Amino acid sequence: MKVKESWCIVASTLPVAFIKSQADVLAIKKIYVVSESLFQSYSYLKNQYPNLKIELLPKTNLGTTFLFLTLLLKAKLLKKRIVFFHECCMPILDILIHYLRPVAEYYPQVSMSGSQLLDFNALPNKKFRFLIQVLGLQTLFQVYYSAPVGENPGEFNLSILKYPNSVKVYPVGHSRDLIRQTSQDLSSVSTKVLFIIGKSKVDDSSQIKILNELILKFFSSGLECHIKNHPNPYFRLDFTNDRSVEIDPLLASELLPNSYRWVIGTSSTSLLNFGNNAISILDMLQNITEENRNLLKKHFNSVDPDNLIFYPKNLSELFEHMRIA
């Protein structure tokens, strides 16, 4: 039986490794992305799938709404399958899916546990709140508030509670389980350390101070440091270091080879890809609130309850864990 052709809609780089591994299984032919940076990130897939089409969504809400409407109607007419990965922030797509009921598969990459649940009336966008109320869908959506990331302001997001029966919904982490990299002890074959950096729920200077200390120590210990910044410029940390190698930030960390002895970050979901090689410096940050620290750990645990991320409390504990004198 011929596999039904799929069209993907993505809102981040998190599912890129899953798409790479399942492109043939799901017969993925097109990927629709929400930003220019994502367009560049997903273009790396064309090295393996040269016939894969990647399209950028329109920049206006009206243009995006029309494209989603056309896309879903064409999928129903041509018997195509929609595969999507967003957890929030695309309420227009969710509303259209609710009414049009296309054949679709939904692979959530994260949960909303790292954000604060609010009353629906707390949504500051009054026009959109009014639209949802007029449609009688306010009980279908939940409003979440995400604390400021670095110097960026906090965000209000809408997340749908339930999709129609035409959508097959997989549990959070299902796609990650399919492509989970086997944790390896690379201590004898690798001297590389990967830093996955980006803004977090703490001031940028707190992260930068620790990163500089770590790279100086690792460099003097003979380790090779690589820096991979966030693919989205909005969440990119303004950090460079002359003792390290910079990786193209648009290359998703999910596409990097598992050849690093250690992978260090703060709150990047990508740390979950590296088994017991992953280290988060969350407990080393002085200026982060306990509430935000706990929310970020809760986020990791909700996506992968069996994750092996190590949280050192200070430099000594980190160096002992890494066996660095």
Side-chain angles (χ1 to χ4, degrees):
M1 180 190 239
K2 186 177 180 181
V3 178
K4 185 178 297 185
E5 181 178 314
S6 299
W7 298 337
C8 287
I9 300 171
V10 300
S12 74
T13 57
L14 290 177
V16 67
F18 172 76
I19 293 175
K20 179 181 178 181
S21 68
Q22 301 297 307
D24 290 331
V25 175
L26 294 174
I28 297 172
K29 303 300 180 185
K30 293 181 183 178
I31 301 176
Y32 293 87
V33 299
V34 300
S35 67
E36 179 64 37
S37 61
L38 280 180
F39 181 89
Q40 297 297 328
S41 294
Y42 278 86
S43 292
Y44 278 98
L45 293 178
K46 294 180 73 67
N47 294 331
Q48 183 173 339
Y49 302 103
N51 295 325
L52 182 65
K53 294 183 179 180
I54 302 171
E55 297 192 19
L56 181 64
L57 294 178
K59 294 183 178 180
T60 65
N61 290 333
L62 183 61
T64 298
T65 300
F66 180 75
L67 187 143
F68 281 155
L69 176 62
T70 304
L71 181 66
L72 297 183
L73 288 173
K74 284 175 64 177
K76 291 198 67 152
L77 180 64
L78 301 176
K79 300 188 184 303
K80 307 295 184 184
R81 172 176 47 196
I82 300 296
V83 179
F84 62 104
F85 300 87
H86 84 97
E87 296 78 28
C88 67
C89 319
M90 282 191 180
I92 289 296
L93 174 62
D94 291 335
I95 290 172
L96 291 172
I97 289 175
H98 173 76
Y99 284 116
L100 297 179
R101 302 175 182 272
V103 173
E105 294 187 10
Y106 171 45
Y107 296 88
Q109 301 297 293
V110 299
S111 73
M112 298 300 293
S113 62
S115 299
Q116 180 184 359
L117 177 63
L118 303 176
D119 182 84
F120 181 80
N121 291 320
L123 183 68
N125 189 329
K126 294 181 179 179
K127 291 183 179 179
F128 204 85
R129 190 173 72 209
F130 176 73
L131 171 64
I132 292 178
Q133 288 172 330
V134 166
L135 294 173
L137 300 178
Q138 61 266 36
T139 59
L140 190 63
F141 287 92
Q142 288 183 319
V143 176
Y144 288 91
Y145 175 73
S146 297
V149 175
E151 279 74 47
N152 294 342
E155 295 182 340
F156 291 85
N157 299 310
L158 276 170
S159 181
I160 196 168
L161 283 169
K162 188 178 186 302
Y163 285 107
N165 292 334
S166 64
V167 179
K168 185 173 183 179
V169 178
Y170 291 88
V172 172
H174 174 79
S175 59
R176 190 179 304 277
D177 290 339
L178 291 178
I179 58 163
R180 185 183 298 276
Q181 300 184 38
T182 302
S183 179
Q184 302 176 51
D185 181 5
L186 301 174
S187 56
S188 62
V189 296
S190 177
T191 58
K192 295 180 181 178
V193 178
L194 173 65
F195 288 88
I196 302 180
I197 67 173
K199 292 181 180 293
S200 188
K201 297 180 189 298
V202 67
D203 59 282
D204 294 352
S205 59
S206 294
Q207 290 198 81
I208 290 172
K209 179 177 182 296
I210 294 177
L211 291 173
N212 277 321
E213 290 177 349
L214 293 181
I215 291 175
L216 177 60
K217 176 64 175 180
F218 295 163
F219 181 79
S220 63
S221 300
L223 297 176
E224 181 179 337
C225 297
H226 292 193
I227 295 176
K228 165 66 180 63
N229 218 321
H230 201 288
N232 186 338
Y234 186 72
F235 296 110
R236 207 166 284 167
L237 188 66
D238 187 14
F239 175 75
T240 57
N241 188 290
D242 293 339
R243 297 181 177 88
S244 60
V245 177
E246 289 193 36
I247 298 172
D248 181 2
L250 294 174
L251 173 59
S253 58
E254 288 79 6
L255 296 180
L256 292 173
N258 190 22
S259 60
Y260 293 95
R261 178 64 188 99
W262 301 108
V263 181
I264 299 175
T266 301
S267 54
S268 172
T269 307
S270 299
L271 287 175
L272 296 172
N273 294 328
F274 297 95
N276 59 7
N277 296 338
I279 298 170
S280 169
I281 61 172
L282 270 175
D283 286 348
M284 298 173 62
L285 297 171
Q286 299 297 316
N287 295 334
I288 191 171
T289 66
E290 280 304 306
E291 180 183 12
N292 283 335
R293 196 194 315 270
N294 291 333
L295 279 174
L296 291 170
K297 289 184 179 181
K298 184 178 179 181
H299 164 74
F300 282 133
N301 292 331
S302 66
V303 176
D304 184 359
D306 300 319
N307 77 79
L308 300 172
I309 295 174
F310 177 67
Y311 299 94
K313 292 181 173 55
N314 49 54
L315 290 174
S316 297
E317 197 168 298
L318 172 62
F319 298 152
E320 181 181 352
H321 178 73
M322 298 176 67
R323 302 184 184 91
I324 295 177

